[in-house]
């Protein structure tokens, strides 16, 4: 149901992870995700820990789904001295090419415990259906 649009994206993600670099608006960091089919829905789960739901932007243009999010630094008092900072900050993004068999008009999104869950229904036209055969007095149905 999904097609990767950039074969080098995974290499970029691994490099960023090893170097600890943060994403910018011009070069966002990748968002780790899982995708699976559950009944008549396609489910995509993306890890966005520490990202406020109002800092997540989800767009669909034609069959291209884009998720962008920004994790901003927590404002600290002036007398705080940072000892260790390992949590990545910055901009995160993921683009997915969705198949024509998905209903992009009815996508739902939920963000709970730092996990963004998108549910995309499978389009009615893509679901299996019975086709009636007419002609004469003998009428049969075939699975299609």
């Amino acid at each position: 149901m999904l097609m990767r649009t950039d074969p080098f994206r995974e290499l970029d993600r691994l490099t960023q992870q090893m170097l600890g670099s943060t994403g910018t608006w011009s070069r966002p960091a990748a968002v780790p995700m899982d995708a699976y089919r559950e009944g008549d829905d396609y489910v995509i789960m993306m890890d966005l820990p520490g990202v406020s739901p109002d800092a997540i932007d989800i767009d669909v243009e034609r069959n291209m789904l884009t998720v962008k999010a920004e994790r901003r630094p927590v404002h600290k008092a002036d007398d705080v001295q940072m000892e260790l900072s390992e949590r990545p900050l910055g901009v995160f993004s993921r683009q997915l090419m969705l198949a024509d068999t998905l209903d992009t008009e009815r996508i739902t999104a939920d963000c709970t415990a730092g996990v963004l869950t998108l549910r995309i229904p499978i389009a009615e036209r893509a679901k299996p259906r019975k086709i009636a055969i007419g002609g004469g007095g003998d009428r049969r149905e075939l699975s299609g």
Side-chain angles (χ1 to χ4, degrees):
M1 295 283 180
L2 297 175
M3 298 183 307
R4 289 187 185 255
T5 58
D6 184 357
F8 298 103
R9 184 74 169 187
E10 187 67 15
L11 183 59
D12 285 345
R13 185 186 68 78
L14 290 172
T15 303
Q16 287 174 354
Q17 195 173 36
M18 292 186 67
L19 297 176
S21 59
T22 60
T24 63
W25 283 108
S26 61
R27 189 164 182 85
V31 177
M33 63 169 253
D34 291 334
Y36 56 91
R37 183 173 175 168
E38 183 177 70
D40 286 339
D41 288 339
Y42 206 73
V43 181
I44 299 170
M45 299 178 79
M46 298 183 177
D47 285 347
L48 295 170
V51 176
S52 171
D54 63 335
I56 301 172
D57 186 36
I58 305 168
D59 289 316
V60 176
E61 185 176 336
R62 297 185 189 202
N63 286 8
M64 180 65 72
L65 173 74
T66 303
V67 176
K68 276 195 173 185
E70 183 177 12
R71 185 172 333 157
R72 300 174 182 112
V74 177
H75 295 289
K76 297 169 186 55
D78 292 336
D79 62 343
V80 172
Q81 181 178 345
M82 183 62 80
E83 295 292 330
L84 179 65
S85 180
E86 294 181 343
R87 297 172 51 219
L89 301 173
V91 180
F92 303 88
S93 178
R94 191 72 184 243
Q95 282 192 315
L96 303 168
M97 180 66 77
L98 302 177
D100 290 332
T101 57
L102 298 176
D103 187 352
T104 58
E105 299 293 322
R106 296 184 16 224
I107 296 175
T108 60
D110 179 55
C111 190
T112 305
V115 178
L116 174 67
T117 303
L118 302 170
R119 291 188 165 275
I120 310 169
I122 297 187
E124 289 298 321
R125 67 182 182 279
K127 293 179 184 175
R129 61 193 181 285
K130 299 274 187 183
I131 307 295
I133 300 175
D138 185 29
R139 188 174 168 111
R140 299 180 297 168
E141 289 189 1
L142 297 177
S143 294

